[in-house]
Amino acid sequence: MSGVHGTNVDITTRDGSADAYLVHPDGAGPFPAVLLYMDAFGLRPRLKEMADRLASAGYTVLVPNVFYRHGRAPVIDLPDFVGPAERPELFQRIGPLVQSLTPESTMADADAYLHRLAEYPMARSGPVGVTGYCMGAGLALRTAGTYPDRVAAAAGFHGANLASTAPDSPHLLADRIKGELYFGHADQDHALPSEQIERLDEALTAAGVLHRCEVYTGAHHGFTQADTAAYDADATERHWAALLDLFGRTL
């Protein structure tokens, strides 16, 4: 892994100030820019490790705390490792934070995040890449549909509720998307049943979006998160290969 330089930053939004982690490779730059959306456990060391790895491959990466309206990260205290015993109590606290996010508020925030990348000297000008995990996969998909001219490629892994029957489901933005998409689904995932996987693929195909949806056999929801019991090393490496391939071709 090549050297990277990471720092904590604050981003002015319509509703306040979002804390975030910003990292880029050592060197002169500028580098292609990536917006990385967190999972429901929030901005924490594991997400920064993932951003560092992506930066080491040649990207400037921004990881915002999307729960910033409820406080700076960590918004809730997490154990060093989240196992099955810890999950119920944690999600009693996390659930209201997730439910407080609306399409309107998160996409107003996305505009601020993209603006910050656009003005950052170490980020190359032009459309960016977006990736997200768990609920962040939905934010990545929604960002690609809301800001089609600013997103060259988007990816989502072990995503939740990507193609529900709700009237504001993110897959309904498929006909606005211009960038290329990739999704790595877990086949052991209560948050994205098979009917949603099919509905997402059908919507993207009907809209003519260049995309690939793959189901990772044996993987569970959260498989990229090494600080949880859901972690799957093989599936995580497969995710890295797919993500770097996508960004390498599009950014």
Side-chain angles (χ1 to χ4, degrees):
M1 182 180 293
S2 63
V4 300
H5 177 76
T7 186
N8 296 318
V9 300
D10 291 298
I11 301 169
T12 300
T13 71
R14 183 193 63 183
D15 296 329
S17 180
D19 50 310
Y21 180 66
L22 182 59
V23 60
H24 59 78
D26 291 335
F31 304 97
V34 174
L35 173 60
L36 191 158
Y37 281 118
M38 66 188 212
D39 64 349
F41 288 131
L43 179 56
R44 62 195 192 282
R46 174 56 182 167
L47 269 295
K48 292 181 179 181
E49 290 171 3
M50 295 176 72
D52 288 350
R53 177 163 175 176
L54 188 52
S56 74
Y59 301 93
T60 290
V61 185
L62 178 67
V63 191
N65 167 25
V66 303
F67 294 150
Y68 72 89
R69 292 174 181 83
H70 302 275
R72 300 180 69 84
V75 177
I76 65 168
D77 292 328
L78 292 173
D80 293 335
F81 184 81
V82 178
E86 292 81 19
R87 292 181 72 91
E89 190 274 332
L90 285 174
F91 273 97
Q92 284 187 352
R93 291 187 283 152
I94 292 171
L97 303 182
V98 176
Q99 293 166 12
S100 72
L101 300 174
T102 68
E104 195 273 338
S105 66
T106 56
M107 289 305 97
D109 291 343
D111 179 58
Y113 305 150
L114 294 170
H115 181 75
R116 181 57 179 268
L117 282 170
E119 68 181 9
Y120 187 54
M122 296 300 287
R124 185 183 299 169
S125 61
V128 308
V130 185
T131 187
Y133 302 85
C134 178
M135 68 171 194
L139 294 176
L141 176 58
R142 195 177 296 281
T143 300
T146 304
Y147 301 105
D149 293 324
R150 298 161 74 179
V151 176
F157 299 91
H158 47 83
N161 297 314
L162 299 178
S164 73
T165 57
D168 58 359
S169 177
H171 81 287
L172 297 175
L173 296 173
D175 61 354
R176 298 189 58 194
I177 294 171
K178 296 181 180 179
E180 182 176 347
L181 304 186
Y182 175 89
F183 291 94
H185 306 302
D187 74 341
Q188 307 294 313
D189 195 342
H190 63 282
L192 195 74
S194 58
E195 58 266 25
Q196 287 202 39
I197 293 175
E198 294 172 5
R199 190 179 295 132
L200 173 63
D201 186 60
E202 290 171 357
L204 295 173
T205 299
V209 177
L210 181 61
H211 72 283
R212 190 160 88 251
C213 295
E214 297 185 326
V215 177
Y216 293 17
T217 303
H220 292 261
H221 183 77
F223 63 76
T224 61
Q225 302 307 306
D227 54 357
T228 78
Y231 179 63
D232 184 316
D234 291 339
T236 297
E237 289 307 309
R238 180 177 175 182
H239 131 274
W240 281 119
L243 185 63
L244 293 174
D245 175 67
L246 175 68
F247 288 164
R249 289 184 289 101
T250 56
L251 300 184

